[in-house]
Amino acid sequence: MGGDGLAPGSVRLQLIDGLPLLRPDEQVFEAMLKGWRNQQLARNLSPGYVEDQERTVRSFARHADAKPWEWAPQHVDDWSADLRAVHGCVRSTLRNYQGSVRLFCDFLANPAYGWVEECMRHFGTHPVQVVHEWNAAAHADEAEGEPERRAFTRPELEAFFDYADEQVLRVRGKGRKGWLPAFRDAALFKTTYSYGLRRNETRMLDLTDFGRNPEGPEFGDYGTLQVRYGKAKKGSPPKRRTVLTVWRWTPEIIEEWISEIRPGMRHSTGPALWPSERARRVGLQRLDSRFASYRDALGLDPALEFHSLRRSYITHLIEDGFDPLFVQHQVGHDYASTTAIYTCVSSDFRTRTLRRALDATIEAALRPGRTS
């Protein structure tokens, strides 16, 4: 702390004492955001996350039509109602937005940064916390996903993959160049399902991420997959994990794509496993749009999304009898409860499980020498 009671590098880096401010409200607000940005970067948060936080605060300020030292809880109420009723934000998104505003207000009210005194000097008032337990969305349930989101059934998944393959044949049969991206997308969807990947994990795969599994020589060069861009925790780099190949048909698909089809792509000289027609790596929006077009063409449930491929991987492994702990490690979940949320076992699986349990009970009851 300096002699003026301020933390080094806080307000004094943003505002120069003794100089008149031409637009005090705008300049002070921008200085606040710059100081908050620096504080978050100092906490090792990613630049992308910091930009999202700032974008949310700016959106709230525009909706409130007021600066932070003028904010009140009523502004949060109106903004939240608008997000839910007009923009249709889901519960988790609303809670995250409110959390961004809460963190910004905490920063401004912290005496170490001197913004209370600075605002009193310029505006005669100061910022306060406007997001409280009684006007913010609570994190009441670990499973906050929309209830309609689910995994593919096996027939649905088979129909989806078949349709993706048919598009390759259809486009190629017309002599059009678009069959290469269509082949890429079909292989990409199957690879996503084969390893239970998230969108960005799939997009960021490189050719060098595959390796051998000494315990699974039948998979050849594609026995393991290094996921280097897993979902990160706040303040941490992307989480890495190794996923083992479990289905015999997976290596054939990947080998065909890498050896025979990918070399024909425009950006095939780069390291990315999935190059685009215009860039060295396919974009997230492309993945979503192609998935949605195939799903809608088949008339499948609109609740199915790209992430449903990951849900299906977890569900089908559990249905096939894989150990839940193995499945948890494959998909990179810290807790078994998270994996359980993703599991959408079919009624047929539950019926077969019950039948096995009943048969075992009856067999034990009829076994000679049983005890009462």
Side-chain angles (χ1 to χ4, degrees), residues 81-91 93 146:
D82 183 68
L83 289 174
R84 285 289 285 165
V86 178
H87 297 282
C89 282
V90 298
R91 297 171 181 84
T93 300
E146 294 302 306

Side-chain angles (χ1 to χ4, degrees), residues 347-362:
S347 57
D348 180 61
F349 170 77
R350 293 195 297 270
T351 301
R352 286 186 278 113
T353 301
L354 175 61
R355 185 69 266 163
R356 287 197 299 268
L358 293 175
D359 290 345
T361 302
I362 294 173

Side-chain angles (χ1 to χ4, degrees), residues 73-146:
Q74 292 84 349
H75 290 129
V76 178
D77 296 344
D78 294 340
W79 180 56
S80 301
D82 183 68
L83 289 174
R84 285 289 285 165
V86 178
H87 297 282
C89 282
V90 298
R91 297 171 181 84
S92 58
T93 300
L94 176 63
R95 195 185 69 253
N96 289 337
Y97 285 172
Q98 293 171 341
S100 299
V101 176
R102 178 190 285 116
L103 291 174
F104 183 59
C105 290
D106 283 342
F107 166 75
L108 298 182
N110 191 329
Y113 293 100
W115 284 114
V116 172
E117 294 79 4
E118 199 72 31
C119 289
M120 288 296 297
R121 184 162 66 91
H122 287 288
F123 311 111
T125 184
H126 62 84
V128 297
Q129 181 58 263
V130 296
V131 183
H132 306 276
E133 291 185 2
W134 40 266
N135 71 336
H139 191 183
D141 192 345
E142 189 174 6
E144 285 194 322
E146 294 302 306

Side-chain angles (χ1 to χ4, degrees), residues 32 43 67 74 79 99 131 157 187 278 285 297 355 359 372:
M32 287 174 168
R43 292 163 52 201
K67 293 298 187 286
Q74 292 84 349
W79 180 56
V131 183
L157 188 65
R278 300 179 178 86
Q285 183 59 43
R355 185 69 266 163
D359 290 345
S372 59

